[in-house]
Amino acid sequence: MSPQIIQLHSENANADISAQIVAGLSRPAGQKKLPTMLLYNERGLQLYDDITTKATEYYPFGAEEEILKNKVDEIVQTMHHGETRVFTDEIILELGAGALRKTSRILLSLSRLVNAASTRAPITYYALDLEEREIVRTLGEISASEIGESLQGKVDTKGLCGTYDDGLKFVLEGGLNVNDNINPVLTSLSLFGLGDISPISSTGTSTFISSWDSSSEEDSDYSPISTPDEAQLPLHILFLGSSLGNFSREEAVEFLGSLPLRAGSGDTLLIGLDHNNDKAEIEEAYNDPQGLTKEFIMNGLRAAGTALGNEDMFKQKNWEYVNRYDSGRRQHEAFLRSKCDHRVEDPSSPAQFLFLKDELVKIEQSYKFSESDAFSLFSGSNLRPIQRWTDSSKRCSLWLLERPAFVFPPLKRPTTRHNPFGMPTTEQWQQLWSAWDCITQRMIPPSMLYQKPIDLRHICLFYFGHIPTFLDIHLSRLLQEPHTEPEIFKYIFERGIDPNVDDPTQCHVHSTVPEKDEDWPTLTSILQFQTRVRARVLKLYADIDSNRISLTRKVARVLFMTFEHEAHHAETLLYMLIQRAGTGTLPPPGFAIPPWRSLAAIWDSAPLPKTKTVTLGPAEVTLGHDDAETDDMDPLFAKDVDGHEFGWDNEHGVRVVQVGKFSIEWRPVTNGEFFEFYLRKGKGLVEIPASWVKDDGEIKVRTLYGPVPMNVAQHWPVIASYNDLSTYAAVKGGRIPTEAELRLFYDTFDSGYGGGANVGFRNWHPIPATTGLEHGSGSNGGVWEWTSTLFDTYDDFVPSGLYPGYSVDFFDGAHQVVIGASYATIPRIAERKTFRNWYQRNYPYAWVGGRVVYDVKQEEVL
């Protein structure tokens, strides 16, 4: 029986491709081009199949096939969040399906997730491609094979005939949700492990609110974070073969961003990307000695002629195939080169095309992806990597991606009118609010609202009120307006506590909070207040845009300060909540649960630096920047906002520090290394880190998903106090680096958020550091790092006028400077090289690790 094929081509498809051909060939010499789509007609698909089966030089196909051969069950289970059975109907959509040889492995693995065959298969696979007869042929071959027998009653295979745009439009219009008998066993929340542990009902808004707060306050503006539409079938998109490389960098971001993956739903994208490999290897891959690729490209001329009405209008003898790879741009290009001056007439119009001898006509491009390219692509497309698999030769990767509940996009490059560390935009506020609401409203159950996850901080409910109250206080001062009601909140929530670890009675000035649970404001009243304060922020931006309020440096600074203050507290709240993960705190919703076992196997096999350390210095290191808050009131600078970089008071003032020659470890101390030390040389010298927990006699590592075994987290940077890491370093014959030394290391080797650093909620846990490999650059795994520099005043330090106690209250001789970022640090803080954090030396909860440096002896310097 022939497979079902849904025809998606528009009536004007032929006219559209003809118009593209005419437009591309009418361009001036040196700029002419033909649509890449011409290569993938029926004959072209067959020729491409020949390339993948006969041209061993074409490594992308073989590399992906190797990954699927070895890891397909792991990949498919990870697509299903670790489940070994399919419990609900779902859709698999492949873009540019081709011959299905690689796909057949995925289909077979999918069938193994279905317990038993039935009259209605729970999984439906759609192959999207351009030529109907090729789709019929390839699906028919699958059906007639042994694989087809295994798919019966488990995986239905169907076809979609059209372009990518045709297929995605069809999906967005609901074309794939044709089954009315959806089995709703797995709701969107249970996909993320919340179905059986969350005390928060997801059945509706009224139930959600009542589960938090029994008060019945009227006119509530509060609405909970929306959850994915449970009536829509789960969707898993396959985009194999490095086909995304045919798009430009900008087009690729736009295309992936347009994919119909629902945020926080469990929908996934499995995509293949070709690495930035050797130039000669790439050029041979696209120009094999057998001439198969040449025939494939030359067929594009016949396809162009056919589209215009005459298959032979482009004489093959007048053309040859050439290709080239630009290593700097990481771009391969395929051209048709004119062998002589000649003219071609369009049989369907008066158009004539003149080609000069040696003129190039571009017909295909294939971008390759460095680590930085890939991570920038994903973040810019609002996608997050769940896991990655790489072939044994490290030439290609398959990435499994999701569209999470929120994403922080890459920072834009600075210009004279834009600074990524300037006044936050309304879009950035919305992103931050999404993160804050995810943490507060969906990770803290009602049972924890009046609890202190750690004794040195307030109860959880305090932080719900502190953030909007702090924001409201500073908006009222700035605008000379009344406080948002209820005004009493400013007396309860203005400032939190950070007491002395050894003597908690010693603490800076802070708000007085209720002693009894029943005396606190209700959660509903706090959330309503938050909504009104956020509306106030957006109104301020609207007033600035309409010139009702003048944008000054002071206005921008208040918005900067309150924005980053909220980001700081999101991280603070999380390092509190992790202490109750598994015993109260709910795992992050809208993000796939990490596949710990398969991730651990990948981490165990990851390469290590060839040397333990790298030697740096002597050098001059620049710390700080020029951002005097006093300039905000100077008429010369008051309106100088565009392009200005803001910072906190301890960042202001450029300071040049001389550092000598030193040797520094490529990577921070890991859990595994510190565990070994804790059991042996450090026994009795260091305490068990607060980031670890004893569980049934076994020491595990805390995560927001609950504790994981040490063998899973052994390669992560350990999170521990300065005192304990300093002891570790001393026993090893080293020390903790100074701020300037660590800054020099970061400036030299840190890859940054765009290069894949584990910051900005890319993961909700640390990962192994990646520095010290081929080019040295990488990330530290997603923790702040201790320095041996005391957090103290310095020459020309001026306390903030807006927030006088921000730094000064902690110039007490007990705090160390920490720099870098954790996995929960937003990119604009993580990327600002001048940002300085600080914690007490014996404070065990903050997400801070450390690395060891060694002094280089004077004779070694000479």
PDB file of all heavy atoms in Angstrom, residues 345-372:
ATOM      1  N   GLU A 345      19.248  32.537 -23.410  1.00  0.00           N
ATOM      2  CA  GLU A 345      17.944  33.194 -23.502  1.00  0.00           C
ATOM      3  C   GLU A 345      16.907  32.412 -22.707  1.00  0.00           C
ATOM      4  O   GLU A 345      16.849  31.191 -22.771  1.00  0.00           O
ATOM      5  CB  GLU A 345      17.503  33.301 -24.959  1.00  0.00           C
ATOM      6  CG  GLU A 345      18.403  34.181 -25.810  1.00  0.00           C
ATOM      7  CD  GLU A 345      17.909  34.303 -27.245  1.00  0.00           C
ATOM      8  OE1 GLU A 345      16.896  33.626 -27.565  1.00  0.00           O
ATOM      9  OE2 GLU A 345      18.521  35.060 -28.012  1.00  0.00           O
ATOM     10  N   ASP A 346      16.086  33.141 -21.987  1.00  0.00           N
ATOM     11  CA  ASP A 346      14.995  32.546 -21.222  1.00  0.00           C
ATOM     12  C   ASP A 346      13.848  32.253 -22.184  1.00  0.00           C
ATOM     13  O   ASP A 346      13.293  33.172 -22.784  1.00  0.00           O
ATOM     14  CB  ASP A 346      14.542  33.515 -20.124  1.00  0.00           C
ATOM     15  CG  ASP A 346      13.386  32.967 -19.296  1.00  0.00           C
ATOM     16  OD1 ASP A 346      12.984  31.815 -19.537  1.00  0.00           O
ATOM     17  OD2 ASP A 346      12.892  33.696 -18.417  1.00  0.00           O
ATOM     18  N   PRO A 347      13.446  30.978 -22.339  1.00  0.00           N
ATOM     19  CA  PRO A 347      12.392  30.657 -23.299  1.00  0.00           C
ATOM     20  C   PRO A 347      11.015  31.177 -22.894  1.00  0.00           C
ATOM     21  O   PRO A 347      10.116  31.256 -23.735  1.00  0.00           O
ATOM     22  CB  PRO A 347      12.404  29.122 -23.339  1.00  0.00           C
ATOM     23  CG  PRO A 347      12.963  28.715 -22.025  1.00  0.00           C
ATOM     24  CD  PRO A 347      13.968  29.773 -21.674  1.00  0.00           C
ATOM     25  N   SER A 348      10.859  31.529 -21.649  1.00  0.00           N
ATOM     26  CA  SER A 348       9.538  31.951 -21.187  1.00  0.00           C
ATOM     27  C   SER A 348       9.397  33.455 -21.038  1.00  0.00           C
ATOM     28  O   SER A 348       8.354  33.955 -20.616  1.00  0.00           O
ATOM     29  CB  SER A 348       9.222  31.283 -19.842  1.00  0.00           C
ATOM     30  OG  SER A 348      10.194  31.641 -18.876  1.00  0.00           O
ATOM     31  N   SER A 349      10.482  34.202 -21.331  1.00  0.00           N
ATOM     32  CA  SER A 349      10.411  35.657 -21.194  1.00  0.00           C
ATOM     33  C   SER A 349      11.478  36.269 -22.096  1.00  0.00           C
ATOM     34  O   SER A 349      12.329  35.558 -22.656  1.00  0.00           O
ATOM     35  CB  SER A 349      10.666  36.052 -19.739  1.00  0.00           C
ATOM     36  OG  SER A 349      12.049  35.935 -19.411  1.00  0.00           O
ATOM     37  N   PRO A 350      11.466  37.594 -22.253  1.00  0.00           N
ATOM     38  CA  PRO A 350      12.487  38.248 -23.083  1.00  0.00           C
ATOM     39  C   PRO A 350      13.870  38.291 -22.436  1.00  0.00           C
ATOM     40  O   PRO A 350      14.826  38.770 -23.049  1.00  0.00           O
ATOM     41  CB  PRO A 350      11.932  39.672 -23.266  1.00  0.00           C
ATOM     42  CG  PRO A 350      10.497  39.617 -22.856  1.00  0.00           C
ATOM     43  CD  PRO A 350      10.407  38.538 -21.841  1.00  0.00           C
ATOM     44  N   ALA A 351      13.972  37.776 -21.221  1.00  0.00           N
ATOM     45  CA  ALA A 351      15.226  37.899 -20.476  1.00  0.00           C
ATOM     46  C   ALA A 351      16.358  37.141 -21.154  1.00  0.00           C
ATOM     47  O   ALA A 351      16.168  36.055 -21.708  1.00  0.00           O
ATOM     48  CB  ALA A 351      15.041  37.388 -19.056  1.00  0.00           C
ATOM     49  N   GLN A 352      17.556  37.766 -21.134  1.00  0.00           N
ATOM     50  CA  GLN A 352      18.780  37.134 -21.620  1.00  0.00           C
ATOM     51  C   GLN A 352      19.846  37.257 -20.536  1.00  0.00           C
ATOM     52  O   GLN A 352      19.918  38.261 -19.826  1.00  0.00           O
ATOM     53  CB  GLN A 352      19.278  37.798 -22.903  1.00  0.00           C
ATOM     54  CG  GLN A 352      18.372  37.632 -24.096  1.00  0.00           C
ATOM     55  CD  GLN A 352      18.991  38.180 -25.369  1.00  0.00           C
ATOM     56  OE1 GLN A 352      20.037  38.841 -25.338  1.00  0.00           O
ATOM     57  NE2 GLN A 352      18.367  37.896 -26.497  1.00  0.00           N
ATOM     58  N   PHE A 353      20.656  36.213 -20.409  1.00  0.00           N
ATOM     59  CA  PHE A 353      21.671  36.200 -19.368  1.00  0.00           C
ATOM     60  C   PHE A 353      23.044  36.071 -20.017  1.00  0.00           C
ATOM     61  O   PHE A 353      23.314  35.101 -20.729  1.00  0.00           O
ATOM     62  CB  PHE A 353      21.424  35.036 -18.407  1.00  0.00           C
ATOM     63  CG  PHE A 353      19.996  34.927 -17.947  1.00  0.00           C
ATOM     64  CD1 PHE A 353      19.238  33.813 -18.284  1.00  0.00           C
ATOM     65  CD2 PHE A 353      19.408  35.934 -17.211  1.00  0.00           C
ATOM     66  CE1 PHE A 353      17.926  33.692 -17.881  1.00  0.00           C
ATOM     67  CE2 PHE A 353      18.092  35.829 -16.787  1.00  0.00           C
ATOM     68  CZ  PHE A 353      17.339  34.712 -17.128  1.00  0.00           C
ATOM     69  N   LEU A 354      23.898  37.060 -19.765  1.00  0.00           N
ATOM     70  CA  LEU A 354      25.247  37.063 -20.316  1.00  0.00           C
ATOM     71  C   LEU A 354      26.216  36.539 -19.265  1.00  0.00           C
ATOM     72  O   LEU A 354      26.227  37.010 -18.125  1.00  0.00           O
ATOM     73  CB  LEU A 354      25.654  38.483 -20.725  1.00  0.00           C
ATOM     74  CG  LEU A 354      27.103  38.645 -21.221  1.00  0.00           C
ATOM     75  CD1 LEU A 354      27.312  37.839 -22.509  1.00  0.00           C
ATOM     76  CD2 LEU A 354      27.414  40.125 -21.456  1.00  0.00           C
ATOM     77  N   PHE A 355      27.019  35.555 -19.657  1.00  0.00           N
ATOM     78  CA  PHE A 355      28.011  34.988 -18.761  1.00  0.00           C
ATOM     79  C   PHE A 355      29.398  35.198 -19.362  1.00  0.00           C
ATOM     80  O   PHE A 355      29.639  34.903 -20.531  1.00  0.00           O
ATOM     81  CB  PHE A 355      27.760  33.496 -18.560  1.00  0.00           C
ATOM     82  CG  PHE A 355      26.417  33.193 -17.966  1.00  0.00           C
ATOM     83  CD1 PHE A 355      25.362  32.773 -18.781  1.00  0.00           C
ATOM     84  CD2 PHE A 355      26.187  33.346 -16.611  1.00  0.00           C
ATOM     85  CE1 PHE A 355      24.119  32.492 -18.238  1.00  0.00           C
ATOM     86  CE2 PHE A 355      24.941  33.068 -16.066  1.00  0.00           C
ATOM     87  CZ  PHE A 355      23.902  32.643 -16.880  1.00  0.00           C
ATOM     88  N   LEU A 356      30.301  35.721 -18.560  1.00  0.00           N
ATOM     89  CA  LEU A 356      31.675  35.956 -18.996  1.00  0.00           C
ATOM     90  C   LEU A 356      32.524  34.726 -18.699  1.00  0.00           C
ATOM     91  O   LEU A 356      32.207  33.925 -17.818  1.00  0.00           O
ATOM     92  CB  LEU A 356      32.253  37.172 -18.279  1.00  0.00           C
ATOM     93  CG  LEU A 356      31.473  38.489 -18.426  1.00  0.00           C
ATOM     94  CD1 LEU A 356      32.130  39.577 -17.597  1.00  0.00           C
ATOM     95  CD2 LEU A 356      31.363  38.895 -19.884  1.00  0.00           C
ATOM     96  N   LYS A 357      33.606  34.586 -19.419  1.00  0.00           N
ATOM     97  CA  LYS A 357      34.536  33.485 -19.159  1.00  0.00           C
ATOM     98  C   LYS A 357      35.056  33.583 -17.723  1.00  0.00           C
ATOM     99  O   LYS A 357      35.422  34.665 -17.257  1.00  0.00           O
ATOM    100  CB  LYS A 357      35.700  33.543 -20.150  1.00  0.00           C
ATOM    101  CG  LYS A 357      36.668  32.356 -20.051  1.00  0.00           C
ATOM    102  CD  LYS A 357      37.771  32.481 -21.099  1.00  0.00           C
ATOM    103  CE  LYS A 357      38.679  31.252 -21.095  1.00  0.00           C
ATOM    104  NZ  LYS A 357      39.387  31.073 -19.841  1.00  0.00           N
ATOM    105  N   ASP A 358      35.045  32.474 -17.039  1.00  0.00           N
ATOM    106  CA  ASP A 358      35.500  32.340 -15.656  1.00  0.00           C
ATOM    107  C   ASP A 358      34.561  32.987 -14.640  1.00  0.00           C
ATOM    108  O   ASP A 358      34.882  33.046 -13.439  1.00  0.00           O
ATOM    109  CB  ASP A 358      36.910  32.919 -15.469  1.00  0.00           C
ATOM    110  CG  ASP A 358      37.959  32.123 -16.224  1.00  0.00           C
ATOM    111  OD1 ASP A 358      37.779  30.894 -16.344  1.00  0.00           O
ATOM    112  OD2 ASP A 358      38.932  32.725 -16.710  1.00  0.00           O
ATOM    113  N   GLU A 359      33.408  33.469 -15.067  1.00  0.00           N
ATOM    114  CA  GLU A 359      32.448  34.036 -14.114  1.00  0.00           C
ATOM    115  C   GLU A 359      31.862  32.912 -13.261  1.00  0.00           C
ATOM    116  O   GLU A 359      31.555  31.823 -13.764  1.00  0.00           O
ATOM    117  CB  GLU A 359      31.336  34.762 -14.858  1.00  0.00           C
ATOM    118  CG  GLU A 359      30.330  35.429 -13.909  1.00  0.00           C
ATOM    119  CD  GLU A 359      29.244  36.198 -14.648  1.00  0.00           C
ATOM    120  OE1 GLU A 359      29.336  36.335 -15.886  1.00  0.00           O
ATOM    121  OE2 GLU A 359      28.302  36.652 -13.970  1.00  0.00           O
ATOM    122  N   LEU A 360      31.705  33.195 -11.976  1.00  0.00           N
ATOM    123  CA  LEU A 360      31.174  32.212 -11.039  1.00  0.00           C
ATOM    124  C   LEU A 360      29.692  32.482 -10.761  1.00  0.00           C
ATOM    125  O   LEU A 360      29.291  33.629 -10.545  1.00  0.00           O
ATOM    126  CB  LEU A 360      31.948  32.260  -9.719  1.00  0.00           C
ATOM    127  CG  LEU A 360      33.443  31.915  -9.779  1.00  0.00           C
ATOM    128  CD1 LEU A 360      34.066  32.041  -8.395  1.00  0.00           C
ATOM    129  CD2 LEU A 360      33.662  30.524 -10.346  1.00  0.00           C
ATOM    130  N   VAL A 361      28.910  31.413 -10.761  1.00  0.00           N
ATOM    131  CA  VAL A 361      27.496  31.479 -10.371  1.00  0.00           C
ATOM    132  C   VAL A 361      27.330  30.597  -9.139  1.00  0.00           C
ATOM    133  O   VAL A 361      27.515  29.372  -9.197  1.00  0.00           O
ATOM    134  CB  VAL A 361      26.574  30.991 -11.506  1.00  0.00           C
ATOM    135  CG1 VAL A 361      25.112  31.032 -11.052  1.00  0.00           C
ATOM    136  CG2 VAL A 361      26.769  31.839 -12.757  1.00  0.00           C
ATOM    137  N   LYS A 362      27.003  31.203  -8.038  1.00  0.00           N
ATOM    138  CA  LYS A 362      26.904  30.454  -6.773  1.00  0.00           C
ATOM    139  C   LYS A 362      25.595  29.671  -6.732  1.00  0.00           C
ATOM    140  O   LYS A 362      24.529  30.199  -7.034  1.00  0.00           O
ATOM    141  CB  LYS A 362      26.965  31.425  -5.596  1.00  0.00           C
ATOM    142  CG  LYS A 362      26.985  30.752  -4.229  1.00  0.00           C
ATOM    143  CD  LYS A 362      27.181  31.806  -3.152  1.00  0.00           C
ATOM    144  CE  LYS A 362      27.139  31.223  -1.763  1.00  0.00           C
ATOM    145  NZ  LYS A 362      27.378  32.242  -0.728  1.00  0.00           N
ATOM    146  N   ILE A 363      25.681  28.398  -6.336  1.00  0.00           N
ATOM    147  CA  ILE A 363      24.483  27.576  -6.255  1.00  0.00           C
ATOM    148  C   ILE A 363      24.294  26.943  -4.874  1.00  0.00           C
ATOM    149  O   ILE A 363      23.192  26.521  -4.540  1.00  0.00           O
ATOM    150  CB  ILE A 363      24.493  26.490  -7.351  1.00  0.00           C
ATOM    151  CG1 ILE A 363      23.109  25.834  -7.468  1.00  0.00           C
ATOM    152  CG2 ILE A 363      25.592  25.457  -7.093  1.00  0.00           C
ATOM    153  CD1 ILE A 363      22.938  24.958  -8.684  1.00  0.00           C
ATOM    154  N   GLU A 364      25.330  26.901  -4.068  1.00  0.00           N
ATOM    155  CA  GLU A 364      25.151  26.319  -2.736  1.00  0.00           C
ATOM    156  C   GLU A 364      26.226  26.837  -1.799  1.00  0.00           C
ATOM    157  O   GLU A 364      27.347  27.156  -2.215  1.00  0.00           O
ATOM    158  CB  GLU A 364      25.239  24.790  -2.785  1.00  0.00           C
ATOM    159  CG  GLU A 364      24.862  24.123  -1.463  1.00  0.00           C
ATOM    160  CD  GLU A 364      24.951  22.607  -1.525  1.00  0.00           C
ATOM    161  OE1 GLU A 364      25.894  22.085  -2.145  1.00  0.00           O
ATOM    162  OE2 GLU A 364      24.081  21.942  -0.934  1.00  0.00           O
ATOM    163  N   GLN A 365      25.853  26.951  -0.544  1.00  0.00           N
ATOM    164  CA  GLN A 365      26.824  27.273   0.501  1.00  0.00           C
ATOM    165  C   GLN A 365      26.579  26.340   1.673  1.00  0.00           C
ATOM    166  O   GLN A 365      25.475  25.816   1.852  1.00  0.00           O
ATOM    167  CB  GLN A 365      26.698  28.716   0.955  1.00  0.00           C
ATOM    168  CG  GLN A 365      25.398  29.036   1.677  1.00  0.00           C
ATOM    169  CD  GLN A 365      25.293  30.492   2.067  1.00  0.00           C
ATOM    170  OE1 GLN A 365      26.124  31.319   1.694  1.00  0.00           O
ATOM    171  NE2 GLN A 365      24.266  30.845   2.819  1.00  0.00           N
ATOM    172  N   SER A 366      27.607  26.117   2.446  1.00  0.00           N
ATOM    173  CA  SER A 366      27.480  25.279   3.628  1.00  0.00           C
ATOM    174  C   SER A 366      28.356  25.864   4.725  1.00  0.00           C
ATOM    175  O   SER A 366      29.583  25.776   4.660  1.00  0.00           O
ATOM    176  CB  SER A 366      27.893  23.839   3.327  1.00  0.00           C
ATOM    177  OG  SER A 366      27.776  23.040   4.480  1.00  0.00           O
ATOM    178  N   TYR A 367      27.717  26.480   5.685  1.00  0.00           N
ATOM    179  CA  TYR A 367      28.456  27.025   6.819  1.00  0.00           C
ATOM    180  C   TYR A 367      28.796  25.912   7.799  1.00  0.00           C
ATOM    181  O   TYR A 367      28.002  24.989   8.027  1.00  0.00           O
ATOM    182  CB  TYR A 367      27.633  28.091   7.538  1.00  0.00           C
ATOM    183  CG  TYR A 367      27.682  29.446   6.872  1.00  0.00           C
ATOM    184  CD1 TYR A 367      26.707  29.819   5.946  1.00  0.00           C
ATOM    185  CD2 TYR A 367      28.693  30.348   7.158  1.00  0.00           C
ATOM    186  CE1 TYR A 367      26.739  31.055   5.329  1.00  0.00           C
ATOM    187  CE2 TYR A 367      28.745  31.593   6.559  1.00  0.00           C
ATOM    188  CZ  TYR A 367      27.776  31.938   5.643  1.00  0.00           C
ATOM    189  OH  TYR A 367      27.819  33.162   5.040  1.00  0.00           O
ATOM    190  N   LYS A 368      29.978  26.015   8.380  1.00  0.00           N
ATOM    191  CA  LYS A 368      30.420  25.096   9.409  1.00  0.00           C
ATOM    192  C   LYS A 368      30.355  25.815  10.755  1.00  0.00           C
ATOM    193  O   LYS A 368      30.316  27.044  10.819  1.00  0.00           O
ATOM    194  CB  LYS A 368      31.826  24.583   9.121  1.00  0.00           C
ATOM    195  CG  LYS A 368      31.989  24.023   7.696  1.00  0.00           C
ATOM    196  CD  LYS A 368      30.979  22.944   7.372  1.00  0.00           C
ATOM    197  CE  LYS A 368      31.068  22.480   5.944  1.00  0.00           C
ATOM    198  NZ  LYS A 368      30.017  21.485   5.597  1.00  0.00           N
ATOM    199  N   PHE A 369      30.400  25.042  11.829  1.00  0.00           N
ATOM    200  CA  PHE A 369      30.093  25.617  13.135  1.00  0.00           C
ATOM    201  C   PHE A 369      31.186  25.329  14.151  1.00  0.00           C
ATOM    202  O   PHE A 369      31.449  24.172  14.500  1.00  0.00           O
ATOM    203  CB  PHE A 369      28.754  25.076  13.638  1.00  0.00           C
ATOM    204  CG  PHE A 369      27.590  25.534  12.815  1.00  0.00           C
ATOM    205  CD1 PHE A 369      27.223  24.848  11.671  1.00  0.00           C
ATOM    206  CD2 PHE A 369      26.884  26.679  13.163  1.00  0.00           C
ATOM    207  CE1 PHE A 369      26.161  25.265  10.886  1.00  0.00           C
ATOM    208  CE2 PHE A 369      25.819  27.111  12.392  1.00  0.00           C
ATOM    209  CZ  PHE A 369      25.451  26.410  11.249  1.00  0.00           C
ATOM    210  N   SER A 370      31.830  26.413  14.606  1.00  0.00           N
ATOM    211  CA  SER A 370      32.723  26.315  15.749  1.00  0.00           C
ATOM    212  C   SER A 370      31.863  26.202  17.011  1.00  0.00           C
ATOM    213  O   SER A 370      30.635  26.333  16.960  1.00  0.00           O
ATOM    214  CB  SER A 370      33.609  27.554  15.826  1.00  0.00           C
ATOM    215  OG  SER A 370      32.804  28.707  16.098  1.00  0.00           O
ATOM    216  N   GLU A 371      32.512  25.987  18.152  1.00  0.00           N
ATOM    217  CA  GLU A 371      31.770  25.948  19.409  1.00  0.00           C
ATOM    218  C   GLU A 371      31.008  27.245  19.619  1.00  0.00           C
ATOM    219  O   GLU A 371      29.827  27.252  19.981  1.00  0.00           O
ATOM    220  CB  GLU A 371      32.734  25.721  20.581  1.00  0.00           C
ATOM    221  CG  GLU A 371      33.411  24.377  20.579  1.00  0.00           C
ATOM    222  CD  GLU A 371      32.459  23.250  20.913  1.00  0.00           C
ATOM    223  OE1 GLU A 371      32.009  23.170  22.060  1.00  0.00           O
ATOM    224  OE2 GLU A 371      32.157  22.452  20.010  1.00  0.00           O
ATOM    225  N   SER A 372      31.683  28.355  19.384  1.00  0.00           N
ATOM    226  CA  SER A 372      31.059  29.664  19.555  1.00  0.00           C
ATOM    227  C   SER A 372      29.888  29.844  18.597  1.00  0.00           C
ATOM    228  O   SER A 372      28.835  30.362  18.973  1.00  0.00           O
ATOM    229  CB  SER A 372      32.102  30.768  19.340  1.00  0.00           C
ATOM    230  OG  SER A 372      31.516  32.043  19.460  1.00  0.00           O
TER     231      SER A 372
END
